Amino acid sequence: MTQAPLHLRGLERSALSADGLVVRPASDFDRIASNIAIWHDYDPGVKAELYSTSLTNSDGMYLIDPIPLRKEAFDELIGSDSVAGIIVTNSNHHRISAQLAEQFSAPIFARCEAFPDKAAQQFRSVADGDEICNGLRVIGIEGAAAGEMILHCASNSGTLIVGDALINFEPYGFVLLPGKYCSNQKEMRRSLQKLLDYEAERILFAHGTPILSGASDRLRGLLGSDR
């Protein structure tokens, strides 16, 4: 099984450790569209940011790769919405998904490879091309982390929500996950070509600064030469 990069792995582990050690709660969230918000926190121990996303539609709110958020901010984020589900984009991003699934009696949506032991009682398997809810489609990505998927939300001019296959932070910039962290980077690059079939104004990352405009053009610049 492919492990998370060293600068990411410790942070993922701290959110899940059996001794109760967790990532400190992020202080606030940013609303980037009428139905989308993000929150993140920097861990100086591993020198990396973890990003999480909330997405709301008629079903309720979906929490994607969630990390802790300060209670007052989390209460404001949820508001009067019900939590319809937790989405985990790969095997490295369990984070606090189990705790939130239990708290809200909500299912966890992920590819089978992200939860190989199916330990989560609320687990619901999804696959490439599935819709988790109306307008939120799963794009399965091979060759990155186990169970990697990218989500496409069609509303508000389109949003792609990425696990690890694409990153956007220094010193790398907006690039594919480096090959040494992939199970097969060539296969991942081929798989990422599917993204060019989707229009997106923005890209949100589990690790990295969001791209909030012109995302499809940026993707064509990164991936288009492979077609």
Side-chain angles (χ1 to χ4, degrees):
M1 180 181 297
T2 302
Q3 290 188 326
L6 283 176
H7 68 288
L8 307 182
R9 194 186 312 151
L11 199 50
E12 302 297 351
R13 186 169 58 243
S14 70
L16 291 172
S17 62
D19 60 8
L21 180 65
V22 296
V23 179
R24 66 185 181 186
S27 60
D28 208 349
F29 64 89
D30 296 301
R31 191 165 297 283
I32 62 170
S34 60
N35 65 330
I36 301 173
I38 60 173
W39 64 101
H40 62 99
D41 194 38
Y42 178 78
D43 188 309
V46 294
K47 299 180 181 179
E49 292 269 351
L50 255 66
Y51 281 76
S52 302
T53 303
S54 72
L55 175 68
T56 305
N57 70 2
S58 58
D59 294 339
M61 180 175 288
Y62 290 85
L63 303 173
I64 302 163
D65 291 340
I67 64 169
L69 180 62
R70 187 172 53 86
K71 183 181 184 305
E72 293 83 355
F74 190 67
D75 290 344
E76 180 183 351
L77 174 71
I78 299 295
S80 60
D81 290 315
S82 61
V83 175
I86 317 297
I87 303 175
V88 176
T89 60
N90 65 47
S91 60
N92 298 321
H93 291 174
H94 292 185
R95 299 178 176 179
I96 61 167
S97 58
Q99 296 95 309
L100 291 178
E102 182 177 358
Q103 178 180 346
F104 293 102
S105 299
I108 296 174
F109 296 90
R111 295 179 68 193
C112 287
E113 298 87 345
F115 285 85
D117 58 2
K118 306 298 188 297
Q121 293 183 353
Q122 310 94 327
F123 177 76
R124 293 189 187 174
S125 174
V126 294
D128 181 45
D130 287 351
E131 280 200 343
I132 291 176
C133 60
N134 185 35
L136 183 62
R137 187 172 296 277
V138 171
I139 306 168
I141 302 296
E142 308 306 327
E148 180 81 13
M149 66 181 183
I150 293 174
L151 303 169
H152 180 259
C153 175
S155 64
N156 287 304
S157 301
T159 302
L160 290 166
I161 305 168
V162 181
D164 284 338
L166 298 170
I167 58 175
N168 188 35
F169 58 83
E170 298 303 327
Y172 301 103
F174 176 48
V175 296
L176 278 64
L177 184 68
K180 61 183 177 180
Y181 302 131
C182 302
S183 60
N184 185 326
Q185 194 192 45
K186 289 184 178 180
E187 183 180 20
M188 183 186 75
R189 181 182 284 272
R190 288 193 297 270
S191 193
L192 284 168
Q193 291 295 307
K194 290 182 282 188
L195 300 184
L196 300 179
D197 295 330
Y198 296 86
E199 286 300 318
E201 180 67 13
R202 60 193 70 81
I203 304 175
L204 310 180
F205 304 90
H207 303 283
T209 305
I211 294 173
L212 298 179
S213 64
S216 287
D217 288 340
R218 296 287 299 274
L219 274 173
R220 282 189 284 269
L222 182 65
L223 302 173
S225 60
D226 292 344
R227 278 196 162 181

